Amino acid sequence: MNTFKSVFGNYDWDTIQNKIYRTTETEVRNTLAKSKKTLEDFLVLISPAAKPFLEEMAQQSHQLTQKRFGKTIQMYAPMYLSNECQNICTYCGFSLDNKIKRKTLTENEIEQEIAELKKAGFDHVLLVTGEANYTVNINYFLKAVAQIKKHFSSISIEVQPLSEEEYLQLHEAGVHTVLVYQETYHREVYKEYHPKGKKSNFDFRLETPDRVGKAGIHKIGLGVLLGLEDWRTDSFFNALHLDYLQKTYWQSKYSVSFPRLRPAEGIIEPNFIMEDSDLLQLICAYRLWNEDLEISISTRENEKFRDNIIPIGVTSMSAGSKTNPGGYAVDVESLEQFETSDERSAQEIASIIASKGYEPVWKDWDKAYTT
């Protein structure tokens, strides 16, 4: 059966990159005048030529987001269950070659983390682990989900790529969303960033969202690690992937996230610097291209940027995030996957959202809605 790999094979990195950087202001004007945008229009909107039109893009993005999603921002928090990992990734604090204390939460420790997140008001939780199949595997995930779903209306996961059967098990167990990031779509350099471990298999990771879609997961989230390679070219391929998935697994919803490289133990410096104005342009480009796409901003971003982006295009925000296992209650000093930038509490973020005339939404989903 065909997967995104067959579509991906029809595109060349250098060709797409050249096309992006050859875009003219006339093409940008023509694209902004269209009521419906195509993938080719997305390419135009992420080009350097579109930068002078950022104000117009932001206005259109605001209007489209409010029309489709109203004046609401969903609140969520990550819960890191483990920092054990069998991969060497040159940009990650959990990388196997980093000599750090490894930790995987027990059932009792998970309960303590749950209590802290519920105290903060959260009802949507994102479960995150390193990629260590011998420890944090499908059996561990199923047990954790069974424990956690008693307390949260929506569970998302960001773990190692799994089989279609394992995703089906998670779907039946109550997982609502699966996030999986290709990190970079530049096949030729992918191996340099992932020299050891199962994650070094570019194609297996590339086809993961297909397995998620076939398992019937309600929502699929994609993204690239901004800073590894040229953000414009990587983002085009991420949009290409989303376009394929939406047409193939149309029953699922889709989201996009924008992780920028942040400081972490033992990581490389970014190859490409992405300025705040670049990230704003990218968010607007996604919204103008795809009105239905959910757009998420994490605490990787600074306070000023997160405050100002609220009316422009995002639909969900994390708050008060801890990126280390047990970071909320159990082991606050354990190693983080990366440093957060916005360290304000969930209630502080909710107040900021409300001050801008938007509603912070703590719960907008329940499994009962599907039964």
Side-chain angles (χ1 to χ4, degrees):
M1 184 178 289
N2 287 339
T3 65
F4 177 66
K5 182 180 175 181
S6 61
V7 175
F8 181 73
N10 296 325
Y11 291 80
D12 173 72
W13 179 279
D14 291 337
T15 301
I16 293 299
Q17 189 173 56
N18 289 336
K19 192 170 183 180
I20 292 170
Y21 285 88
R22 289 199 309 265
T23 298
T24 66
E25 287 194 4
T26 298
E27 291 176 294
V28 177
R29 289 192 183 93
N30 291 339
T31 293
L32 288 172
K34 295 181 180 180
S35 57
K36 293 289 184 180
K37 312 290 194 295
T38 65
L39 192 61
E40 286 296 312
D41 295 323
F42 178 82
L43 182 150
V44 169
L45 293 171
I46 60 175
S47 71
K51 205 65 176 287
F53 299 87
L54 191 51
E55 179 63 33
E56 183 177 348
M57 290 174 63
Q59 290 175 2
Q60 287 192 23
S61 180
H62 164 72
Q63 293 165 2
L64 289 171
T65 305
Q66 189 166 315
K67 181 184 76 172
R68 172 62 179 81
F69 294 96
K71 302 182 75 171
T72 61
I73 302 289
Q74 182 197 91
M75 305 283 290
Y76 75 95
M79 183 196 296
Y80 278 69
L81 301 178
S82 175
N83 63 7
E84 296 191 57
C85 194
Q86 295 168 292
N87 297 316
I88 292 180
C89 301
T90 60
Y91 50 80
C92 182
F94 292 173
S95 185
L96 178 66
D97 56 344
N98 282 339
K99 305 305 178 185
I100 62 170
K101 179 184 175 183
R102 304 290 174 170
K103 184 174 185 61
T104 297
L105 299 186
T106 65
E107 186 174 336
N108 287 338
E109 289 172 334
I110 289 173
E111 206 65 37
Q112 293 178 57
E113 295 292 285
I114 289 171
E116 285 301 308
L117 288 174
K118 294 304 294 183
K119 191 186 302 180
F122 288 107
D123 209 41
H124 289 240
V125 66
L126 168 63
L127 308 183
V128 187
T129 70
E131 301 190 8
N133 294 314
Y134 61 89
T135 305
V136 281
N137 49 33
I138 185 62
N139 294 326
Y140 179 86
F141 300 143
L142 290 172
K143 186 176 180 180
V145 168
Q147 177 183 0
I148 293 166
K149 73 176 181 181
K150 302 171 188 175
H151 306 277
F152 296 92
S153 63
S154 176
I155 297 177
S156 304
I157 64 167
E158 185 182 335
V159 300
Q160 71 266 32
L162 303 170
S163 68
E164 181 182 342
E165 175 58 32
E166 288 170 330
Y167 283 125
L168 184 59
Q169 289 178 268
L170 289 170
H171 175 54
E172 292 173 344
V175 169
H176 175 270
T177 303
V178 172
L179 307 183
V180 57
Y181 303 147
Q182 189 64 25
E183 314 298 11
T184 178
Y185 287 86
H186 197 321
R187 181 188 287 275
E188 286 68 29
V189 301
Y190 182 89
K191 182 71 174 179
E192 297 175 17
Y193 294 118
H194 311 95
K196 184 177 181 180
K198 196 170 183 178
K199 194 170 180 176
S200 64
N201 187 330
F202 181 91
D203 288 338
F204 184 75
R205 196 167 190 90
L206 189 71
E207 295 178 311
T208 299
D210 278 282
R211 298 191 296 276
V212 178
K214 290 172 186 174
I217 293 290
H218 185 79
K219 186 164 70 179
I220 303 172
L222 266 61
V224 294
L225 186 52
L226 300 165
L228 290 184
E229 292 299 318
D230 175 56
W231 69 264
R232 292 183 168 91
T233 311
D234 249 338
S235 295
F236 170 83
F237 281 100
N238 192 67
L240 176 70
H241 205 165
L242 283 164
D243 186 63
Y244 158 84
L245 291 169
Q246 285 186 305
K247 292 173 180 175
T248 307
Y249 310 103
W250 51 268
Q251 301 96 329
S252 296
K253 296 170 66 177
Y254 293 89
S255 67
V256 64
S257 302
F258 305 92
R260 280 197 280 185
L261 268 177
R262 291 281 302 156
E265 182 74 22
I267 72 163
I268 59 169
E269 290 296 315
N271 281 349
F272 293 82
I273 301 299
M274 188 187 206
E275 304 293 345
D276 285 357
S277 59
D278 295 328
L279 182 52
L280 175 60
Q281 180 184 357
L282 181 58
I283 290 171
C284 292
Y286 269 113
R287 175 58 67 227
L288 268 59
W289 165 60
N290 192 324
E291 295 182 23
D292 294 325
L293 191 64
E294 297 185 19
I295 293 177
S296 179
I297 289 292
S298 77
T299 54
R300 286 179 183 257
E301 303 307 325
N302 64 65
E303 296 180 8
K304 182 178 179 181
F305 184 86
R306 276 166 50 92
D307 291 354
N308 290 333
I309 201 68
I310 289 169
I312 295 177
V314 300
T315 58
S316 66
M317 299 178 73
S318 58
S321 302
K322 304 298 181 183
T323 66
N324 47 325
Y328 296 103
V330 174
D331 190 0
V332 296
E333 298 300 325
S334 64
L335 182 80
E336 300 174 317
Q337 187 183 30
F338 58 86
E339 291 182 15
T340 57
S341 183
D342 186 349
E343 298 184 353
R344 293 172 295 180
S345 70
Q347 293 301 325
E348 286 178 285
I349 299 300
S351 295
I352 292 291
I353 291 171
S355 73
K356 293 181 177 292
Y358 281 67
E359 179 186 357
V361 177
W362 299 96
K363 177 177 179 176
D364 69 350
W365 169 262
D366 195 288
K367 190 170 176 59
Y369 297 158
T370 63
T371 60

